[in-house]
Amino acid sequence: MSYIDNPPPSPACQETANLLPKDISLSVNYLPSKFSSGILSPGATRRKHGVDPSVPKRGGGREVFKATEPRMPDNGDEDYDGESGNWFGGKEGGRTHPRMHWNEFKWFLFLANVCLSVYALTGLISCLLTWFDVFEHADIVRVGNRTELILSTIAATAATITSVFGWAGILLNNRSFLAYYTFFLWICFGLLVTPGYLTYKKRTFNLEGKINAQWSRNLDAAGRLRIQNRLHCCGYYSPFVEATISQTCYPRSVLPGCKASYLHFERRVLGIWYTIVFSLVPLHIFVIFAGLLCSNHVTYRFGKGMMPKAYRLSLNGMAVIMDDYAG
């Protein structure tokens, strides 16, 4: 008789007896909202004609299978539900339904990354052409402004790689790529302004004294010879002062000294250099803000479109819910 009055607890209740509801699923804390209004307060207001009002509405029809609807993931399901699959879409790279049109955030991010790609590739190509001595006076820059040229090449390379991350994130709707993209934009900003600051400081503060010290202390004979050959000069003040002997530069040469032409060249090149760099700063700040504001909104769906793990129902969580609802 006591066995009938006090039946043994079910296996699910025994398994969840020692667990708090929050350790099973946070959904158990919001029990009333987990049941439809048709179950809790059945009525005929939402029923079609000819349907028994006492029978609750079943399922959600075809609408629950739309791509924009949230879904309950399976165990270990962490993908973007086709939003960031392989290159050709879908989990296995197969054909999928046509994509929705791009939203305004994605277009804004696309425009910003186009700007980044253009000036990053332009800067990288210019630096490479300078290193390859394509321009007429590129060898002078390689000798006299080697530090600034190295930093500019690093900055242009980093910006180019960052733009590739941006294109991957934009075209694949991958927020992970866009997170790295936004972070690397700050690094590119620091690399961008560094050569601009160095060239501005060198040109503005005692450029002549720095040129004098560079010619007499920092340049070796080969470096002086390369500058002499490009500027068609001999020696620093004259062929008798710190000159490197060559076929065109010797004591009785009629070529002028290199100081005036080299100083004029450095003043012009350094001015162009930091002007270009500082003119790119507002554009780069625009790209940074575009990445910060738009990276999380490349699709209309927020996040992965899946139920968070803390709210996913399991057998144990369902047992607790039904036990509380029945009690």
Side-chain angles (χ1 to χ4, degrees):
M1 189 68 178
S2 60
Y3 178 79
I4 297 177
D5 295 338
N6 300 312
S10 63
C13 294
Q14 292 178 354
E15 186 177 354
T16 59
N18 298 325
L19 295 177
L20 296 175
K22 68 180 183 64
D23 297 327
I24 300 173
S25 174
L26 291 179
S27 296
V28 301
N29 299 321
Y30 305 97
L31 179 61
S33 64
K34 295 302 175 182
F35 295 92
S36 66
S37 59
I39 295 179
L40 298 178
S41 57
T45 57
R46 299 176 61 184
R47 300 290 178 263
K48 296 181 180 179
H49 297 288
V51 179
D52 187 359
S54 62
V55 178
K57 184 179 180 180
R58 299 297 182 91
R62 295 186 306 167
E63 300 300 318
V64 298
F65 298 100
K66 293 195 305 183
T68 56
E69 291 295 325
R71 62 189 178 90
M72 180 70 74
D74 297 328
N75 292 330
D77 191 359
E78 293 296 335
D79 71 309
Y80 275 75
D81 194 20
E83 295 295 334
S84 63
N86 294 327
W87 287 98
F88 299 101
K91 295 181 180 180
E92 302 297 335
R95 296 180 59 85
T96 58
H97 295 290
R99 300 287 186 185
M100 296 178 63
H101 65 277
W102 286 12
N103 56 30
E104 59 273 15
F105 298 103
K106 192 169 183 178
W107 280 112
F108 204 66
L109 196 60
F110 174 81
L111 177 62
N113 202 49
V114 167
C115 297
L116 176 64
S117 301
V118 168
Y119 70 75
L121 288 174
T122 302
L124 182 60
I125 292 173
S126 300
C127 291
L128 291 178
L129 292 179
T130 304
W131 283 112
F132 295 149
D133 197 15
V134 176
F135 303 122
E136 181 181 1
H137 293 142
D139 204 24
I140 304 176
V141 177
R142 294 194 302 171
V143 174
N145 306 101
R146 189 176 185 85
T147 302
E148 294 86 350
L149 183 59
I150 292 174
L151 292 175
S152 298
T153 306
I154 294 174
T157 304
T160 303
I161 296 175
T162 301
S163 67
V164 173
F165 273 91
W167 288 123
I170 294 171
L171 298 179
L172 296 179
N173 295 332
N174 193 311
R175 292 179 176 87
S176 298
F177 279 142
L178 293 176
Y180 286 108
Y181 168 74
T182 306
F183 173 73
F184 289 146
L185 284 175
W186 291 98
I187 299 177
C188 293
F189 179 74
L191 294 174
L192 172 67
V193 298
T194 300
Y197 168 73
L198 293 178
T199 52
Y200 174 79
K201 185 178 70 171
K202 184 175 182 179
R203 183 183 186 273
T204 305
F205 303 106
N206 194 18
L207 177 61
E208 184 177 357
K210 294 173 183 176
I211 294 297
N212 294 338
Q214 182 189 52
W215 188 276
S216 60
R217 299 177 184 177
N218 300 332
L219 296 180
D220 55 5
R224 296 171 187 169
L225 179 60
R226 291 161 67 179
I227 295 177
Q228 289 177 171
N229 292 337
R230 294 293 181 173
L231 295 179
H232 305 289
C233 56
C234 183
Y236 193 55
Y237 294 102
S238 67
F240 300 99
V241 180
E242 295 179 332
T244 299
I245 303 301
S246 65
Q247 294 181 353
T248 57
C249 181
Y250 45 89
R252 299 182 61 183
S253 175
V254 296
L255 294 176
C258 295
K259 178 180 178 179
S261 55
Y262 185 43
L263 182 62
H264 175 73
F265 174 82
E266 283 293 300
R267 184 176 287 113
R268 181 171 59 89
V269 168
L270 293 176
I272 295 174
W273 205 320
Y274 73 73
T275 301
I276 294 176
V277 169
F278 289 150
S279 64
L280 292 176
V281 168
L283 183 58
H284 195 83
I285 293 177
F286 159 75
V287 176
I288 290 177
F289 274 96
L292 288 173
L293 299 177
C294 303
S295 293
N296 235 11
H297 306 283
V298 288
T299 57
Y300 288 102
R301 172 177 295 179
F302 181 77
K304 297 181 179 181
M306 296 190 298
M307 180 75 70
K309 284 185 177 181
Y311 291 88
R312 298 178 188 177
L313 285 177
S314 61
L315 293 178
N316 295 335
M318 197 64 192
V320 173
I321 291 177
M322 296 307 297
D323 186 52
D324 294 341
Y325 185 68

